[in-house]
Amino acid sequence: MSRNDALRAARIRKGWRTIEAAATAITEHGQELLDDRQFTVSARTWRRWEGDRPGWPAEETAIVIHDALSRWPEDLGFTTPPGWIRPEHHEEEQVRRQAFVSVTAAALVAGPVAPQHVDPALIDYFQQQLEGHYRADMFLGPHDLIGTVSAQYQLIDKLVKSAKGETRRGLLRVGAAYAALVGWLYQDAGDMDGAAFWRGVTQEIAMRSRDPHLIGYSLVNQAQVRTDLGDGHAVVDLCEAALDDADQLVPKVRIMAMQQQAHGASLTGDRDLVDHLIDKADLLLPCVDDDLPWGNACRRTPGYLEVQRATCYGRLGLGAEAGALWSQVLAIVPETARRDRGVYMARQATAAAAAREPDQAVEIARTVATIAVETRSARMRRELVTLERAMRPWQDAPVGRDLAEILEPVTEGS
C-alpha cells in the first residue's frame, strides 16, 4: 500500500468520503480534544498528506490523528522523523512486560514444592476437563478461557513435581495437551508471542513424556504458528520432522501433520502438493480410533479436511474453487460453532472477492462482522483484513463503502 493509500483508506473507513470532509472533521475533533479553538487542518494540508510526500504533522496534530483514526501517523504513511517517540511509548513497554509476565506465569513456577500424594485418578479428571474446554472454545472464543486453562496447567505442573512413575508420565502427557490448548488460545487471540511461548512449553513437556504421538503433535503445533506467520518453508520442515517416523504415530497425528504441511505448501504456491497431502490424509480418516483426549479436531470438526483444502485454495488465489468448497462446508457446520463459522465465512467472502463477486462478499461480511465483535477472535479479524485487501478494486464503489461501514465496529474493537 503506498503512503497516500494508507491515510485515504483510514479516512474512508471513518466515513469521511472527501478530503474536505476529512479536514473539517479532524479540525472539529482536534478543537474538542485539545480544547483549542485555534486548532485547524485545512483541506490543502490533508491533500498533501495523501500525496507522495506527506511529511510529518506537529506532535499535537499527531495526537489528534491517533485519537480520531486509532492509528499513529507512521502507520498511516507519514514519514517518521528521527527521534520521534510516541507519547504513550513507555506505557506500551510496561504493558508488554506485564503481558509477558502474565503469559509465562503459569508455566514458569519456581520449584521445589512441598511433596504431596498424587492419586492416579487425577489423570482422568484432567482429561475429562480438557474435552469440556475444547467444546467451550468453540462457543466462547479465546479470551474467556485463557485464564482457566492456564491455571489448570499450573496445577498439573505442580502435581508433576510430586508424582512418580506412571502417574507422573500420565500427568506429563495431559499437561502437554493443556499447554497446547493454551498456545492455541493465545494464537486465536492474536498474541503470537504468547502462542509461540506456549507451543515451546508443549514441545518441552511432550519430550519429557517420551510419548512419540505427543512429540509429533507438538511439532504440528509449532507449524501452526509458522503458518500464521506466513513461513511456508518452516511449516513444511516441521511437519516433515513430525512424519519422519510416521509408522510409529497414530493415524490422527499423521493426518494433522499432513494437513498442516498442506498449509505450508499453499504458502509456497504448490497446489499439486496441497491436493496430494489432503487426499492422502483423507484416506487415513476412517482409521482414527485412538482414545487420546487431545487433537481430536479431525473427529469433532465437520468437513475437517475440506476446511483445510478450502483454506489452502483461498491462499492460492483460487476463488471459485475455494468458494464452492466453503459452501459445502458451511452447509454442515452447526450454528452453535459460532467462532469457527465466522472464520470460515470470512474466508468464503474473500473467495467471493477473488472470484470478482464483490456484492456476495459484502453480504457474507455482514454476518461475520457481528460474530467477530462477539467472540473477539483475532483470527477472524485477520481474515477480515484479508477480505479488505481482496476488495480494494471496489474501494471507491458503493459496495466498497458498504464494506468499510460494515467492518467499522470490528476495527473499533481491535
Side-chain angles (χ1 to χ4, degrees):
M1 177 179 284
S2 65
R3 291 175 178 172
N4 58 335
D5 285 342
L7 181 60
R8 183 174 181 276
R11 162 171 66 80
I12 291 173
R13 188 180 296 114
K14 189 71 176 178
W16 301 341
R17 305 304 182 196
T18 66
I19 284 175
E20 289 73 16
T24 299
I26 201 74
T27 294
E28 293 174 353
H29 191 89
Q31 289 178 357
E32 182 175 352
L33 179 69
L34 303 173
D35 193 23
D36 179 4
R37 305 311 298 175
Q38 302 304 312
F39 178 85
T40 304
V41 173
S42 68
R44 180 179 179 182
T45 297
W46 192 288
R47 188 170 290 106
R48 174 172 55 80
W49 288 349
E50 290 195 14
D52 293 334
R53 297 181 179 179
W56 185 257
E59 182 167 337
E60 66 175 14
T61 306
I63 292 170
V64 172
I65 290 171
H66 174 261
D67 194 73
L69 300 177
S70 300
R71 299 287 188 278
W72 286 105
E74 61 264 40
D75 301 323
L76 293 169
F78 289 84
T79 305
T80 308
W84 160 251
I85 299 176
R86 294 181 179 183
E88 89 299 8
H89 173 77
H90 298 296
E91 293 178 16
E92 283 187 350
E93 288 298 320
Q94 181 66 22
V95 167
R96 277 196 288 272
R97 284 194 293 271
Q98 291 172 347
F100 184 74
V101 169
S102 175
V103 165
T104 62
L108 300 179
V109 177
V113 297
Q116 65 183 107
H117 172 69
V118 182
D119 195 297
L122 285 169
I123 298 170
D124 289 335
Y125 164 75
F126 286 115
Q127 289 180 342
Q128 291 167 8
Q129 293 284 309
L130 188 64
E131 180 56 35
H133 293 321
Y134 287 139
R135 289 197 303 272
D137 173 46
M138 293 176 63
F139 302 137
L140 295 174
H143 298 275
D144 295 320
L145 283 178
I146 285 176
T148 299
V149 181
S150 59
Q152 285 197 290
Y153 170 83
Q154 186 177 44
L155 175 56
I156 293 169
D157 185 54
K158 175 176 175 287
L159 295 171
V160 164
K161 291 179 171 69
S162 294
K164 294 179 174 57
E166 284 303 314
T167 301
R168 183 173 182 274
R169 280 187 285 275
L171 284 171
L172 281 169
R173 287 192 291 270
V174 76
Y178 270 80
L181 178 55
V182 177
W184 158 248
L185 293 171
Y186 274 105
Q187 190 171 344
D188 192 34
D191 185 343
M192 299 308 292
D193 291 338
F197 171 83
W198 278 95
R199 299 308 199 189
V201 172
T202 303
Q203 191 164 8
E204 178 203 322
I205 303 302
M207 294 293 289
R208 289 168 59 191
S209 77
R210 307 293 205 281
D211 186 318
H213 312 302
L214 268 174
I215 292 169
Y217 178 53
S218 71
L219 289 168
V220 174
N221 272 253
Q222 296 276 26
Q224 286 179 339
V225 174
R226 288 293 172 176
T227 297
D228 273 9
L229 294 174
D231 190 347
H233 294 294
V235 176
V236 172
D237 290 342
L238 287 162
C239 292
E240 285 180 344
L243 292 167
D244 272 348
D245 297 313
D247 292 342
Q248 297 183 29
L249 300 177
V250 293
K252 177 173 71 183
V253 177
R254 291 157 65 188
I255 289 169
M256 293 174 66
M258 288 176 194
Q259 62 82 22
Q260 201 63 44
Q261 187 177 346
H263 286 286
S266 72
L267 286 165
T268 61
D270 192 340
R271 179 188 176 164
D272 289 342
L273 184 56
V274 167
D275 284 328
H276 171 74
L277 289 164
I278 298 291
D279 290 344
K280 192 173 178 181
D282 191 47
L283 294 175
L284 280 175
L285 265 182
C287 304
V288 177
D289 61 356
D290 62 84
D291 58 358
L292 299 172
W294 45 263
N296 286 309
C298 62
R299 292 167 166 160
R300 191 172 55 246
T301 306
Y304 173 74
L305 288 174
E306 293 313 296
V307 167
Q308 315 312 319
R309 194 191 306 267
T311 302
C312 290
Y313 280 6
R315 203 177 279 127
L316 288 163
L318 305 173
E321 293 94 327
L325 283 172
W326 284 125
S327 295
Q328 294 173 25
V329 167
L330 287 162
I332 59 175
V333 174
E335 295 287 342
T336 51
R338 194 154 175 77
R339 194 271 318 281
D340 286 348
R341 281 189 67 87
V343 170
Y344 301 162
M345 290 178 72
R347 293 173 182 168
Q348 182 188 32
T350 299
R356 305 200 66 78
E357 296 178 356
D359 292 315
Q360 181 187 1
V362 170
E363 194 57 38
I364 296 168
R366 292 184 192 279
T367 302
V368 180
T370 301
I371 301 174
V373 171
E374 289 176 0
T375 62
R376 294 177 289 160
S377 169
R379 191 162 55 111
M380 206 179 308
R381 289 200 300 270
R382 285 198 303 271
E383 296 293 345
L384 290 172
V385 170
T386 302
L387 171 61
E388 282 187 296
R389 286 199 297 266
M391 287 288 290
R392 278 181 192 159
W394 300 278
Q395 65 182 9
D396 292 327
V399 69
R401 293 193 289 271
D402 286 347
L403 180 67
E405 184 176 340
I406 289 166
L407 298 185
E408 187 173 352
V410 181
T411 305
E412 289 175 349
S414 62

